[in-house]
Amino acid sequence: MLGFLRRNYEAWYPTEAPKQSNPIRIGLLGTSKIAPVAVILAAKTHPEVFVAAVAGRDVKKTTAYAKKYRIPIIHKDYQALLDDPAIDAIYNPLPNGLHFEWTIKALKAGKHVLLEKPSVSNATEARELFNSPLVSGPDSPVLLEAFHHAFHPAWQKFLTLIDRENIAEAHASMIIPKGIVPSYDIRCKYDLAGGCLMDVGTYPLSCIRMVFGTEPEECLEANHRKLPPGLDQKIDQAFSGKWRFPNGGMGTINADMIADGGYFTSMLDGFPTVALPKVEVKHREVVVESDLPTDQEHVVQQTVVMWHFTLPFVWHRIDIQENHAVRGKTDGKIVKDWVETSFLKEYRGKVGTDAWTTYRHQLEAFVNSIRKRPVAAWIDGSDSIKQMEMIDGAYKTAGLPVRPSITGV
């Protein structure tokens, strides 16, 4: 418990690192709620990063934001930020529908871009963005889609425990309790590329892709729950899906950005539901070498579960359960069976402390890429394209329209 409290205190209230003489100066597009955690907090412990500017369309709101987070430069519009020669990199957490436009403009201005997920509105935009000559040269700006959980050592450890060719099933789930996302939120606006699969659903979708390490062959099922009548019926407030992967394994997801149902009893129906994000991987049964009579065999079926994969620096656990059995080779009769269970945690990576957040690990990789240093993990452009292709395919299978591009960009 003391370790938990100490680690979280250091994560949320870190000691600021002295800045080097020529840090990467980051500018924020908009006054988002995520930037203080994703960039501002992470930058405090990075000696090579300085959050230098913020741009917003509401001058009063932007000024208050800059004052609160001690950001020295205020720009009255997004283009002014991109035109600022003192800014090296841009963080783009704007509504989904504006990602493509302002990322393209930032790249044209020569800025590196840390781009919030989902990268863009649809696969067409993704292909145009990530295949652009703006990012294909050896000295082009760095462009990174911010799937921050992928950079934490706990997630990297989890992946090492997976036998990809032997996966039978992989399931990932993540929800937001009812009451956090109001019906008027930008995430509920189709014209801004909203929807559950474009928000909380991007996490479990990316997880099953990373677990299998390849792309699915087919979307077998895609189900959704729409917003209540009277609201935008093109928006999914919950989404589930099933995909077949090349090894024959099945990947499934469940996501909900307005989850209710309470706990334990139907009397709590309508109350918010709270559940930890989770990825569960079931392997096929395999025969292992054992000193047994020739007419018997030892088989093992392994399941690996990661709890709280999105914010593992707060707390996480990796469960490994092995179901063992000794049985007859011909009749399949069980002679003996038993279960072995172990638990792992991985807070500290090769760099940093155990209090580094997922965002801090992500920022480390972003800076290292800009400085042309090796990175421990990365989300490359082809991966971001395939993520959006999978999202578009799921929407089509569900009978929902692909999220639109804003015309005139």
Side-chain angles (χ1 to χ4, degrees), residues 8 36 51 75 83 88 94 96 105 116 135 139 161 192 194 213-214 265 285 300 322 341 343 361 375:
N8 277 276
V51 180
H75 287 293
D83 292 339
D88 304 302
L94 296 173
N96 298 340
K105 288 179 176 178
E116 263 307 329
V135 294
D139 296 317
L161 303 172
L192 289 176
T214 187
T265 170
E285 184 180 85
V300 179
E322 293 184 345
T341 303
F343 306 98
H361 282 284
V375 296

Side-chain angles (χ1 to χ4, degrees), residues 37-38 42 147-153 309-313 355-364:
V37 176
F147 275 108
H148 59 100
H149 72 282
F151 296 86
H152 196 275
F309 66 86
T310 46
L311 298 176
F313 63 92
W356 271 23
T357 69
T358 49
Y359 301 102
R360 179 59 179 84
H361 282 284
Q362 176 180 260
L363 188 63
E364 185 78 5

Side-chain angles (χ1 to χ4, degrees), residues 321-340:
Q321 179 175 304
E322 293 184 345
N323 298 305
H324 294 256
V326 174
R327 67 191 181 195
K329 289 183 178 179
T330 56
D331 59 10
K333 184 177 180 180
I334 302 296
V335 178
K336 177 184 178 182
D337 60 11
W338 68 98
V339 177
E340 296 179 1

Side-chain angles (χ1 to χ4, degrees), residues 92-112:
N92 184 353
L94 296 173
N96 298 340
L98 300 178
H99 283 187
F100 178 78
E101 174 186 1
W102 288 101
T103 299
I104 285 285
K105 288 179 176 178
L107 293 170
K108 287 180 178 179
K111 312 299 186 186
H112 306 286

Side-chain angles (χ1 to χ4, degrees), residues 285-322:
E285 184 180 85
V286 296
V287 178
V288 297
E289 292 187 9
S290 297
D291 186 17
L292 293 170
T294 57
D295 62 342
Q296 294 179 354
E297 62 182 2
H298 178 188
V299 295
V300 179
Q301 185 278 316
Q302 185 191 68
T303 298
V304 185
V305 181
M306 181 167 179
W307 298 92
H308 211 218
F309 66 86
T310 46
L311 298 176
F313 63 92
V314 174
W315 177 89
H316 70 272
R317 195 180 73 201
I318 300 172
D319 301 354
I320 306 171
Q321 179 175 304
E322 293 184 345

Side-chain angles (χ1 to χ4, degrees), residues 60-113:
K60 184 177 180 180
K61 181 179 179 181
T62 307
T63 300
Y65 191 92
K67 182 178 180 180
K68 179 178 181 180
Y69 296 109
R70 296 185 294 165
I71 302 172
I73 302 172
I74 301 169
H75 287 293
K76 296 181 180 180
D77 60 68
Y78 302 153
Q79 189 60 51
L81 175 62
L82 304 187
D83 292 339
D84 187 341
I87 299 303
D88 304 302
I90 296 295
Y91 175 58
N92 184 353
L94 296 173
N96 298 340
L98 300 178
H99 283 187
F100 178 78
E101 174 186 1
W102 288 101
T103 299
I104 285 285
K105 288 179 176 178
L107 293 170
K108 287 180 178 179
K111 312 299 186 186
H112 306 286
V113 181

Side-chain angles (χ1 to χ4, degrees), residues 193-233:
C196 177
L197 198 57
M198 296 289 288
D199 187 70
V200 64
T202 62
Y203 283 102
L205 199 66
S206 72
C207 284
I208 62 170
R209 291 182 56 249
M210 292 181 194
V211 162
F212 278 97
T214 187
E215 304 308 312
E217 295 179 328
E218 184 181 4
C219 181
L220 302 174
E221 298 175 15
N223 304 292
H224 66 284
R225 185 181 73 243
K226 297 180 180 179
L227 288 173
L231 299 174
D232 194 337
Q233 295 300 289

